[in-house]
Amino acid sequence: MRREGRALSFEEAANLLNRDVGTIAKTVQWLREKNLVEVEVRTSNLVSLGSEGQIYSADGLPERRLIEMLSEAGGVASIDELKKSLGEDVFQIGLIWAKKNQWINIESTGPQKSVKLIHYPGETSEEKLLKHLRERGVVEFEDLGEDLKKACMNLKTRQSVINIDEVKRYYVRLTDKALQIPEGELHIQEVTRLTKDMLTSGSWRQYRFSRFDISAPSKPIYAGKRHPLQRLIKIVKEIFVEMGFEEIRGPIVELAFWNFDALFQPQDHPARDMHDTFYLNYPSTGQLPENLVERIKDAHETGGSTGSLGWRYRWRREEADKLVLRTHTTATTIRYLAEHPDPPVKVFSVDRIYRNEKVDWKHLAEFHQIEGIVMDKNVCFRDLIGLIKEFYSRLGLKDVRFRPSYFPYTEPSAEAIVYLREKNTWLELIGMGIFRPEVTQPLNVKYPVLAWGGGLERLALALYNLEDIRTFYMNDLRWIRSIPSTYLDKKIGLS
Ligand code: PHE
């Protein structure tokens, strides 16, 4: 085989070797790493007929048709006549260009306007180009002569007459190194795989084995991994477990009784409003825990035996047996507490809750809360503060502060805020407190219960440095792929 330095386009090479372009590209990549070929990108502009151009190349340009008609008519014709024989569109376009080319004049003879031929040119470069394109289909701009190039530029200004498309072509040529390889060595085959046959026949001796190039570019592989929000949930759960908590879960469809009443939220409390809470239509009510109904009623109406005066209104079971989508996971911890009134209790939940919110970048109608309670003989508010500090410090958030707050079910109440260095802001993390006697006594709970709860997504926003809370639910694969599975572990300092 003769060796020379002519560059071949990938397409040409594919044709010559009877392979597809992809195979050529792969092979070229191989040879390039061995410095045997070099690749050159050439951009070419391909010229072809557009939809109008197809018609013009067959029937003639509108301006040509116009002057032909004029010439046949003896040099002058009325606008109406021309319109009639050429059709409105061809006439209008033809008129504009013939006028521009100074082939015609428009004259008013009385009320009628007429068109007069003043110059009848031979074949123009534009017409030559159309003919050329009709014969050849597609041509390269660079291959055209100067006058046809100009014609291209002219016709380009007219709608759909010609198309000029820029395409990138890859060319491959041998390097000097390849050109100098001695004839004998050219036939040593390089193989990528050693086979059993090569071993038994001993033919492996004739081959040269390709080396792996681990730096060769390749397509990224997106391995399966947990969704970034699920990753955080997993870490949060692990931290709770490491701190000696047990996970609990509760129903998503919950009695208003557990969501509100057992938490000493009065029945006219604004949080119970339909605008804040989703109520179920079918079924709209559920079974109240009858053994507790009287006691909760007493707590609300008179304070029962707690020493409190209660809210002093008439408590109605018709409000309490309504079914809602739980608005907080405190419904789940209070339910658990009612079933486990004896110390010690140390449980958490990370689960979905629902609020009747208009969804925007800051709000979702369905999201997650982190929730926990600790009940034991000697626990106190300082323990609660310590627990919260410890919990968040394990999430890499060390600068946590507490400020007073209010919840109908806790006393004292506080909220924890954390400083975000990257955003230079304070973020509200959770509400917390010790359950009031009006909450614990009806459930026969005799010891202090430390309780806290707060949003998970807000925390996730801070950790993933995002602005829009909807990011977590949009299934934007590009974003999901962009977060390495180890992102949080690194961020938090776990690894
Ligand atoms: N349930 C409260 C909320 O949804 C948080 C909270 C839980 C506050 C437990 C005090 C005690 O914001």
Side-chain angles (χ1 to χ4, degrees):
M1 197 201 278
R2 205 153 42 88
R3 266 183 282 162
E4 56 179 39
R6 188 168 83 84
L8 280 181
S9 72
F10 280 21
E11 288 78 12
E12 282 176 276
N15 272 336
L16 282 172
L17 298 172
N18 202 13
R19 296 282 147 84
D20 59 88
V21 174
T23 309
I24 299 297
K26 241 183 275 164
T27 311
V28 165
Q29 178 64 26
W30 261 104
L31 293 171
R32 202 174 171 192
E33 271 143 30
K34 297 185 187 1
N35 198 18
L36 293 173
V37 298
E38 49 202 9
V39 173
E40 198 184 306
V41 193
R42 292 186 203 159
T43 40
S44 42
N45 293 293
L46 298 184
V47 187
S48 58
L49 288 172
S51 52
E52 291 295 305
Q54 301 279 5
I55 300 169
Y56 297 168
S57 69
D59 301 351
L61 283 166
E63 58 268 37
R64 171 66 66 187
R65 293 177 58 191
L66 179 76
I67 60 168
E68 266 170 6
M69 187 127 290
L70 279 174
S71 156
E72 272 164 35
V76 201
S78 76
I79 287 187
D80 283 349
E81 262 176 88
L82 291 167
K83 258 191 202 168
K84 217 155 126 213
S85 23
L86 292 171
E88 175 83 30
D89 287 354
V90 173
F91 169 74
Q92 290 298 352
I93 301 170
L95 192 71
I96 293 170
W97 291 96
K99 184 90 187 65
K100 238 183 213 167
N101 295 347
Q102 296 184 325
W103 296 347
I104 56 160
N105 263 340
I106 301 171
E107 297 184 338
S108 347
T109 45
Q112 265 271 23
K113 278 190 175 176
S114 57
V115 183
K116 189 176 175 197
L117 180 64
I118 53 173
H119 176 65
Y120 192 92
E123 190 181 44
T124 63
S125 343
E126 284 77 24
E127 289 170 317
K128 281 186 195 140
L129 178 69
L130 291 181
K131 210 158 127 199
H132 188 58
L133 290 176
R134 188 166 183 82
E135 280 158 14
R136 306 288 284 286
V138 185
V139 300
E140 271 196 33
F141 182 79
E142 283 312 313
D143 295 343
L144 296 172
E146 278 316 305
D147 59 328
L148 291 191
K149 276 187 185 159
K150 239 208 217 126
C152 272
M153 301 329 287
N154 288 338
L155 287 181
K156 188 66 210 161
T157 64
R158 296 168 70 160
Q159 282 259 318
S160 331
V161 180
I162 58 166
N163 304 319
I164 304 183
D165 300 305
E166 192 187 90
V167 292
K168 281 200 165 94
R169 279 247 176 81
Y170 293 88
Y171 284 81
V172 56
R173 80 161 80 239
L174 294 177
T175 58
D176 288 343
K177 181 179 167 196
L179 290 168
Q180 280 152 24
I181 296 174
E183 194 61 32
E185 271 194 37
L186 270 183
H187 303 292
I188 297 181
Q189 282 193 49
E190 197 162 277
V191 295
T192 49
R193 209 171 293 170
L194 180 64
T195 62
K196 176 170 157 263
D197 286 346
M198 288 179 195
L199 284 173
T200 49
S201 69
S203 70
W204 61 270
R205 270 180 253 271
Q206 293 156 25
Y207 296 105
R208 183 183 285 168
F209 289 92
S210 312
R211 302 171 71 89
F212 289 113
D213 178 2
I214 56 167
S215 67
S218 62
K219 270 202 193 154
I221 294 171
Y222 299 105
K225 65 182 175 197
R226 260 172 224 277
H227 186 281
L229 196 65
Q230 290 302 326
R231 181 70 207 135
L232 176 61
I233 289 175
K234 187 156 188 276
I235 289 176
V236 164
K237 288 183 176 180
E238 275 165 11
I239 292 175
F240 270 122
V241 169
E242 280 164 14
M243 288 175 68
F245 286 79
E246 241 180 272
E247 182 176 4
I248 58 166
R249 302 198 70 178
I252 285 172
V253 173
E254 185 57 283
L255 285 164
F257 180 87
W258 290 118
N259 198 80
F260 298 119
D261 298 278
L263 289 164
F264 198 50
Q265 285 204 37
Q267 293 188 324
D268 62 356
H269 193 278
R272 294 193 181 220
D273 199 89
M274 294 240 295
H275 296 290
D276 292 311
T277 302
F278 290 115
Y279 285 86
L280 260 72
N281 271 341
Y282 307 106
S284 60
T285 57
Q287 275 289 315
L288 287 175
E290 292 302 339
N291 58 327
L292 295 174
V293 168
E294 275 311 303
R295 306 175 68 112
I296 297 291
K297 178 180 160 77
D298 284 349
H300 278 243
E301 290 185 347
T302 65
S305 55
T306 61
S308 156
L309 294 177
W311 293 110
R312 291 189 275 176
Y313 69 108
R314 216 177 68 75
W315 186 87
R316 290 162 10 101
R317 54 180 295 143
E318 294 75 34
E319 212 37 67
D321 71 4
K322 286 184 177 166
L323 288 174
V324 302
L325 295 184
R326 70 177 165 211
T327 64
H328 53 184
T329 39
T330 319
T332 297
T333 45
I334 198 67
R335 199 183 239 287
Y336 183 86
L337 200 64
E339 284 160 15
H340 302 83
D342 299 317
V345 166
K346 198 174 173 188
V347 294
F348 78 95
S349 119
V350 182
D351 236 328
R352 292 228 176 188
I353 63 144
Y354 300 82
R355 290 192 189 167
N356 200 349
E357 295 266 12
K358 205 169 157 290
V359 174
D360 62 25
W361 65 280
K362 254 177 131 170
H363 299 94
L364 294 169
E366 174 177 10
F367 54 105
H368 292 83
Q369 274 192 335
I370 301 174
E371 186 94 24
I373 51 170
V374 173
M375 185 254 284
D376 211 346
K377 287 185 177 136
N378 290 313
V379 291
C380 67
F381 197 67
R382 291 169 64 104
D383 296 314
L384 179 54
I385 287 184
L387 271 172
I388 299 301
K389 269 201 164 167
E390 177 62 24
F391 176 80
Y392 285 106
S393 109
R394 289 183 187 216
L395 275 172
L397 302 167
K398 311 269 176 196
D399 205 351
V400 180
R401 290 187 192 172
F402 300 88
R403 56 188 189 194
S405 187
Y406 172 80
F407 299 98
Y409 33 97
T410 50
E411 180 62 31
S413 304
E415 64 185 7
I417 55 177
V418 66
Y419 182 68
L420 302 175
R421 215 177 309 122
E422 277 137 346
K423 301 200 175 179
N424 189 24
T425 52
W426 289 86
L427 174 72
E428 284 163 24
L429 284 178
I430 50 154
M432 57 196 268
I434 299 181
F435 279 148
R436 303 173 70 101
E438 291 94 328
V439 173
T440 50
Q441 228 184 50
L443 308 181
N444 266 322
V445 170
K446 309 244 160 30
Y447 300 102
V449 183
L450 315 178
W452 66 96
L456 175 88
E457 278 81 357
R458 276 219 235 146
L459 176 66
L461 278 184
L463 291 171
Y464 286 112
N465 234 321
L466 297 170
E467 296 294 336
D468 192 330
I469 199 158
R470 292 168 295 194
T471 312
F472 295 120
Y473 295 92
M474 283 195 306
N475 295 331
D476 174 358
L477 276 182
R478 263 181 323 173
W479 175 70
I480 294 171
R481 284 173 172 164
S482 77
I483 308 289
S485 57
T486 53
Y487 173 95
L488 273 187
D489 305 61
K490 290 211 172 106
K491 171 112 190 169
I492 293 167
L494 290 180
S495 64

